[in-house]
């Protein structure tokens, strides 16, 4: 077309962020409205239900803490997915990386008896990161070296990780009682310290905050982040400019895996103090949604992680108060995703053409 | 208006067509008349609104206002299907063929056979071959489209339109992919169609096509009609002035320069293409400081692969590449840049730019990690911004601001961003591949001036282009590439269009022209 008129300046960063947040807000409201219909169908009062949902999530110090505890691993894993997706590396393997990070962490934690905290804690954090990073790196190497689709390999690695953990918690690492599929508690010195007792808030939140700041620097300010964005936006241009695409993927696959591994580690060292058979419970998949809803931007991922954690935590109290099942909240979460997607779909040409057909001329 | 027919209504009339895309007006009150059995040129620069206007006639866009008449009757097309039903066919610049299917399958794609739901290939084959014969469109109906040269693919597109009963053909820049000789053949086909009563709209920006072939010409500029003329009534200079809106400044003067030491040396390069077939079969040439060497050839004869080998994007299977005397055979793009290579790639948005990133970021694509743009792995946003302001100014890039995403710029300004970036690294050898493809005249001239300025600044330039005019105008020496070989090197002072054209078609056996550079 012709030259862009001078008035058509691209929106500034701030207005771009507010647009994204606005989109998310609209999607949440729309999803809640649909959920209200479902609650009505179930014969309950949606207003009472949503008040209970909100109070359950933000009504007391304890509930706010619960939201933060739930948000911490989602945020860690979500940040890793954000940098991977931004680089055009479709890591679907956060779930498996969480498991492997948790396994590595518990192995260190079980052997840390008698270690001082200043050794045991860095060791367990490092083990969590490394466990996830190694698990993330293998598909990364396969992608960079032989072009194997990371979408397939990371999904497959989820299964492997799940069954490896399953083997360990029922076999070599099973608790002394050999009753439940879980390990013995880790050494006290390796636990992430509780802050704000008697709530469950633990030091993992500082790890997540530090990771957010670090990822912000990496993705927005660093030269590596610049290259990663170029690779993700236009692989051919990256190669042309002398950026090593394979190396970039290798690094992000490791970093993304490591962050997911940290998510598994905080569940072990901060929440349960041991490794359960199903320690992740699908967090690695929820984190994908969190990363995408957060527009693959570190700040956005924080917002999305808290939103999803709040919906989770509030769901229990909604169930208690109006007697609708918790699963309704999963429907609302899914609807939020659909409405965010619908917004871009509604901007699609096909819908515009259909819309025009029905519009009176 | 110079309409031919007073009694019968004209074949197609577009009345007062206006079309906006966001804030951009693509067509602004455009009137256009196409008579029976005429070849009508739609002339204008890129972005003048030619293709938009014809996409409206073909039902791909709906106009914001205005009316379309076919044979005098008001029509409204919501899709190309409806346009085709009214006898309008269009051949796009980028062909819309399915490469994996045969010619016959492509031609009948989506049509109903006599024995639905069964295909009746026998009947279709007969009818398609009849159509092809009667319009001199020689083509093997059972060949796979992927194996056909582009010139033949174009015939398939025309055959497709004719077979669907088109009486009006819209051809969008049809000669871009043809050799001069193929153009002549193609024009004969069009003339035959005109005699058979077909009306043809030829979208073009090439002036000689208007005067050589067309009956009338409508000139568009900035979305408006600036004139409708009989083609035998106007000179090329008049058309150029109408198209651009002012007299063109003379392009940059060529200074006499004695070429210096070679900065790019290529010896016996062979390589495979993406389909692992031989693309280059032993190419040797050298570019010296202060000279422009042009590579002429029809698209798809190994030009892309040659550029990729030089830029470190494709590993050769044999031979050697030296940049500034440094061995860069199979080197990484990084090493080629460091050795002194500048590269204006063929595909602006696909390779040369990161469309979603800002102009400022695109200007430091290779240098973002170097001082002063970064310290300790952290980008220095101020230095990047300052660099952007300087380049926007120096290359008069029209972007809303340095933070504007490059995909919202016009093609000319996108190319200026690439030029600014590549020249600011002060390369010793500039590899320019199709540097003016899709640009308007002024932007193309800007590119040419910069290349000549680089030559004057003692940089070597390797210009790979399928625009023969461009090659002839800029080069000191012309190397013609055909099927992965350099079939000859000519001194541009003595080379004739005809000679180069024949060599481009692989038909020149003159041994003296084969002298290696």
């Amino acid at each position: 077309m012709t030259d862009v008129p001078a008035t058509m300046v691209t929106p500034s960063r701030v207005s771009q962020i507010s647009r994204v947040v606005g989109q998310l807000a609209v999607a949440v409201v729309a999803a809640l409205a649909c959920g209200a219909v479902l609650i009505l169908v179930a014969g309950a009062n949606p207003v009472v239900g949503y008040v209970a949902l909100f109070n359950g999530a933000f009504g007391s110090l304890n509930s706010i803490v619960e939201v933060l505890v739930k948000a911490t691993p989602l945020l860690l894993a979500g940040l890793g997915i954000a940098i991977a997706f931004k680089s055009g590396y479709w890591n679907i393997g956060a779930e498996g990386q969480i498991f492997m990070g948790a396994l590595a962490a518990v192995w260190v934690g079980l052997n840390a008896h008698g270690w001082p905290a200043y050794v045991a804690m860095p060791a367990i954090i490092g083990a969590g990161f490394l466990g996830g990073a190694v698990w993330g790196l293998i598909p990364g190497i396969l992608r960079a070296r032989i072009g194997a689709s990371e979408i397939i390999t990371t999904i497959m690695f989820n299964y492997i990780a799940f069954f490896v953990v399953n083997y360990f918690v029922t076999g070599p690492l099973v608790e002394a009682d050999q009753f439940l599929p879980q390990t013995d508690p880790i050494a006290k010195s390796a636990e992430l310290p509780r802050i704000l007792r008697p709530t469950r808030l633990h030091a993992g939140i500082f790890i997540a905050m530090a990771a957010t700041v670090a990822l912000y620097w990496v993705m927005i300010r660093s030269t590596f982040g610049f290259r990663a964005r170029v690779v993700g936006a236009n692989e051919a241009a990256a190669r042309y400019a002398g950026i090593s695409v394979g190396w970039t993927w290798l690094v992000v696959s490791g970093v993304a895996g490591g962050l997911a591994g940290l998510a598994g580690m905080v569940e072990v060292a901060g929440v349960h103090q041991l490794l359960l058979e199903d320690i992740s419970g699908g967090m690695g998949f929820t984190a994908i949604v969190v990363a995408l809803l957060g527009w693959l931007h570190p700040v956005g991922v924080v917002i999305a992680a808290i939103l999803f954690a709040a919906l989770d935590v509030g769901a229990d109290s909604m169930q208690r108060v109006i007697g609708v099942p918790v699963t309704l909240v999963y429907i609302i979460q899914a609807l939020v995703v659909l409405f965010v997607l619908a917004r871009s779909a509604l901007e699609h040409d096909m819908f515009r053409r259909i819309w025009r057909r029905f519009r009176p001329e | 208006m110079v309409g031919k027919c007073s009694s019968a209504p004209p074949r197609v009339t577009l009345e007062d067509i206006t079309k906006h895309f966001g804030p951009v007006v693509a067509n602004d009150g455009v009137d256009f008349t196409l008579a029976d059995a005429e070849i009508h040129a739609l002339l204008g620069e890129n972005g003048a609104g030619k293709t938009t206007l014809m996409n409206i006639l073909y039902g791909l866009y709906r106009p914001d206002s205005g009316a379309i008449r076919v044979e005098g009757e008001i029509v409204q097309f919501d899709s190309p299907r409806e346009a085709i039903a009214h006898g309008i066919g269009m051949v796009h610049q980028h062909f819309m063929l399915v490469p994996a299917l045969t010619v016959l399958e492509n031609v009948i794609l989506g049509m109903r056979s006599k024995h639905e739901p069964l295909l009746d290939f026998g009947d279709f084959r007969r009818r398609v071959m009849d159509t092809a014969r009667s319009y001199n469109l020689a083509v093997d109906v059972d060949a796979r489209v992927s194996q056909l040269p582009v010139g033949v693919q174009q015939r398939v597109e025309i055959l497709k339109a004719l077979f669907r009963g088109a009486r009006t053909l819209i051809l969008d820049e049809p000669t871009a992919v043809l050799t001069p000789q193929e153009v002549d053949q193609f024009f004969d086909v069009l003339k035959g169609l005109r005699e058979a009563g077909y009306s043809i709209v030829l979208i073009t920006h090439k002036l000689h096509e208007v005067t050589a072939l067309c009956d009338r010409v409508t000139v568009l500029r900035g979305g408006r009609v600036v004139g409708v003329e009989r083609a035998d009534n106007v000179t090329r200079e008049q058309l150029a002035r109408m198209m651009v809106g002012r007299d063109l400044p003379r392009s940059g003067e060529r200074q006499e320069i004695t070429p210096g030491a070679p900065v790019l040396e290529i010896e016996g390069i062979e390589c495979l293409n993406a389909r692992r077939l031989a693309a280059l079969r032993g190419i040797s040439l050298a570019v010296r400081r202060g000279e422009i060497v042009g590579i002429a050839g029809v698209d798809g004869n190994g030009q892309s692969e040659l550029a990729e080998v030089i830029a470190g994007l494709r590993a050769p299977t044999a031979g050697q590449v030296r940049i500034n005397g440094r061995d860069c055979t199979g080197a990484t793009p990084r090493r080629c840049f460091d050795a002194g290579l500048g590269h204006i790639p063929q595909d602006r948005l696909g390779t040369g730019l990161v469309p979603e990133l800002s102009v400022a970021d695109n200007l430091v694509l290779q240098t973002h990690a170097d001082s002063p743009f970064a310290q300790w792995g952290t980008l220095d946003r101020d230095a990047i911004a300052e660099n952007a302001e300087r380049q926007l100014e120096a290359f008069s890039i029209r972007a809303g601001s340095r933070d504007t995403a490059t995909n919202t710029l016009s093609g000319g300004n996108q190319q200026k961003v690439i030029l600014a970036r590549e020249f600011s690294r002060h390369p010793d050898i500039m590899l320019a591949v199709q540097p003016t493809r899709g640009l308007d005249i002024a932007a193309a001239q800007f590119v040419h001036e910069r290349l000549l300025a680089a030559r004057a600044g003692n940089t070597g330039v390797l210009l790979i282009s399928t625009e023969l005019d461009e090659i002839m105008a800029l080069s000191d020496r012309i190397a013609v590439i055909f099927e992965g070989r350099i079939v000859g090197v000519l001194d541009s002072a003595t080379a004739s269009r005809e000679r180069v054209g024949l060599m481009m078609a692989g038909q020149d056996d003159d041994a003296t022209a084969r002298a290696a550079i």
Side-chain angles (χ1 to χ4, degrees), chain A residues 320-342:
Chain A
R320 275 195 307 277
V321 174
I322 61 168
V324 292
V326 177
T327 43
L328 187 92
V329 165
Y330 301 147
I331 296 177
I332 291 174
Q333 285 179 344
L335 285 170
V336 171
V337 177
L338 282 178
F339 278 113
V340 167
L341 291 178

Side-chain angles (χ1 to χ4, degrees), chain B residues 392-405:
Chain B
L392 287 175
E393 168 88 37
F395 282 77
S396 45
I397 300 167
R398 282 180 60 198
S401 82
R402 59 171 187 261
D403 294 326
T404 306

Side-chain angles (χ1 to χ4, degrees), chain B residues 132-431:
Chain B
R133 232 189 331 269
S134 46
Y135 299 107
N136 269 329
L137 295 162
V139 55
D140 172 9
V141 295
D142 294 314
R144 285 205 187 286
V145 163
S146 57
Q147 289 161 348
L148 296 177
V150 274
V152 180
Q153 291 189 19
Q154 186 164 49
R155 263 177 257 161
V156 176
E157 281 279 18
I158 292 173
L159 181 59
K160 204 168 106 185
L162 294 178
F163 191 69
R164 277 144 211 264
R167 300 286 298 160
T168 301
L169 275 179
I170 306 165
L171 307 174
D172 192 355
E173 305 271 2
T175 58
V177 293
L178 307 180
T179 64
Q181 283 77 13
E182 281 177 316
V183 170
D184 291 342
Q185 284 177 15
F186 177 66
F187 282 1
D188 287 339
V189 169
L190 296 187
K191 284 171 186 163
L193 286 170
R194 173 172 58 189
E195 259 152 51
Y198 287 86
S199 300
I200 296 167
V201 182
L202 185 75
I203 302 178
T204 186
H205 64 269
K206 291 178 183 165
L207 303 170
H208 59 85
E209 292 182 357
V210 177
T211 45
L213 177 71
C214 300
D215 303 303
R216 285 196 300 155
V217 51
T218 295
V219 185
L220 287 181
R221 187 173 73 234
R224 288 204 182 87
V225 176
V226 289
V228 184
E229 302 285 348
R230 291 192 65 87
D232 50 16
N233 247 350
V234 286
T235 64
R236 293 184 191 180
E237 288 72 28
Q238 286 169 322
L239 286 173
R241 208 173 306 125
M242 287 164 77
M243 201 162 121
V244 183
R246 60 191 150 81
D247 284 321
L248 280 173
R250 283 186 52 80
S251 37
E253 289 295 314
R254 292 176 64 88
Q255 299 172 14
E256 275 308 312
I257 291 173
T258 318
V263 276
L264 173 68
E265 296 157 281
I266 300 170
E267 271 164 32
I269 284 292
E270 292 173 24
C271 84
L272 306 177
N273 64 13
R275 286 166 43 212
R276 310 203 67 73
L277 304 170
L280 300 180
R281 305 153 194 261
I283 287 203
S284 300
L285 62 89
V287 181
R288 292 166 293 177
R289 287 189 176 280
E291 75 167 345
I292 298 180
V293 175
I295 305 257
V298 178
D299 218 356
N301 275 290
Q303 293 99 322
S304 313
E305 288 82 3
L306 177 61
E308 284 170 3
V309 165
I310 295 170
L313 292 165
R314 181 178 294 276
T317 51
Q320 212 186 24
V321 178
R322 279 191 304 277
I323 296 171
N324 257 335
R326 276 162 74 178
D327 185 8
C328 288
T329 314
T332 60
R334 180 91 242 162
R335 262 199 52 206
C336 297
F337 286 136
D338 290 343
L341 177 77
H343 181 192
I344 301 166
Q346 175 171 6
D347 187 354
R348 259 194 302 281
L349 274 183
T351 309
L353 296 170
V354 186
E356 297 97 288
L357 291 193
S358 68
V359 172
D361 283 353
N362 271 288
L363 282 168
V364 294
L365 210 54
Q366 299 102 337
T367 49
H368 67 274
D370 304 337
S371 172
F373 303 128
Q375 273 97 33
W376 304 107
T378 305
L379 299 172
D380 184 340
R381 285 273 160 213
D382 292 338
I384 291 172
E386 193 200 323
N387 171 65
E389 292 300 337
R390 212 169 42 238
Q391 304 293 358
L392 287 175
E393 168 88 37
F395 282 77
S396 45
I397 300 167
R398 282 180 60 198
S401 82
R402 59 171 187 261
D403 294 326
T404 306
T406 43
N407 55 3
T408 64
L409 305 187
S410 70
N413 282 305
Q414 287 170 353
Q415 191 71 321
K416 282 181 181 178
V417 171
I418 295 177
L419 285 174
R421 182 181 70 212
E422 296 307 306
F423 277 118
S424 68
R425 295 189 294 107
H426 304 297
D428 298 304
I429 168 79
M430 179 61 83
L431 170 63

Side-chain angles (χ1 to χ4, degrees), chain A residues 47-262:
Chain A
V47 178
V48 178
Y50 284 150
V51 169
L53 179 76
F54 186 84
N55 282 335
F58 299 110
S60 68
L61 178 65
N62 198 50
S63 56
I64 292 173
V65 161
E66 276 306 303
V67 170
L68 294 178
V69 168
K70 278 250 161 79
T72 298
L74 284 180
L75 173 55
L76 282 166
L79 287 171
I81 290 165
I83 190 174
F85 282 17
K86 200 80 189 168
S87 319
Y89 180 82
W90 304 104
N91 173 30
I92 314 293
E95 182 76 0
Q97 292 145 15
I98 289 172
F99 274 113
M100 294 314 265
L103 182 62
V106 88
W107 178 72
V108 168
L110 291 173
N111 288 299
H113 291 285
W115 299 8
Y118 61 82
V119 175
M121 229 188 311
I124 198 168
I125 293 170
F129 185 89
L130 270 181
V134 168
W135 208 243
L137 259 174
I138 301 168
I141 294 168
L142 292 175
R143 176 69 220 255
R145 288 282 147 227
I146 62 171
S149 162
E150 72 279 14
I151 299 177
I152 310 286
T153 49
T154 51
I155 290 175
M156 291 304 150
F157 267 53
N158 287 338
Y159 291 105
I160 301 173
F162 178 81
F163 288 110
V164 166
V165 167
N166 189 282
Y167 164 75
F168 274 101
V169 296
T170 53
L173 294 181
V174 70
E175 59 174 352
D177 300 347
Q178 302 206 357
F179 182 62
L180 293 169
Q182 62 186 36
T183 64
D184 283 324
I186 58 173
K188 280 271 171 255
S189 58
E191 288 178 9
L192 294 174
R194 287 279 161 89
I195 38 186
L196 222 65
R197 283 180 189 278
T199 70
R200 296 206 299 166
L201 194 63
H202 58 80
I205 192 169
F206 297 127
I207 297 175
M209 282 159 65
T212 306
V213 173
L215 257 282
Y216 185 89
W217 176 80
V218 169
M219 290 175 76
I220 316 288
R221 297 298 311 276
S222 76
T223 54
F224 176 79
F226 183 92
R227 289 192 285 276
R229 263 179 292 147
V230 170
V231 169
N234 187 348
E235 212 182 300
R239 288 184 206 283
Y240 153 81
I243 295 168
S244 170
V245 175
W247 175 250
T248 307
W249 283 338
L250 223 58
V251 174
V252 298
S253 68
V255 170
L259 285 163
L262 285 180

Side-chain angles (χ1 to χ4, degrees), chain B residues 494-515:
Chain B
T494 55
S496 71
R497 262 190 91 82
E498 289 63 37
R499 178 82 186 285
V500 176
L502 282 172
M503 288 165 75
M504 282 163 66
Q507 286 168 5
D508 189 281
D509 292 321
D510 192 338
T512 55
R514 284 180 184 272

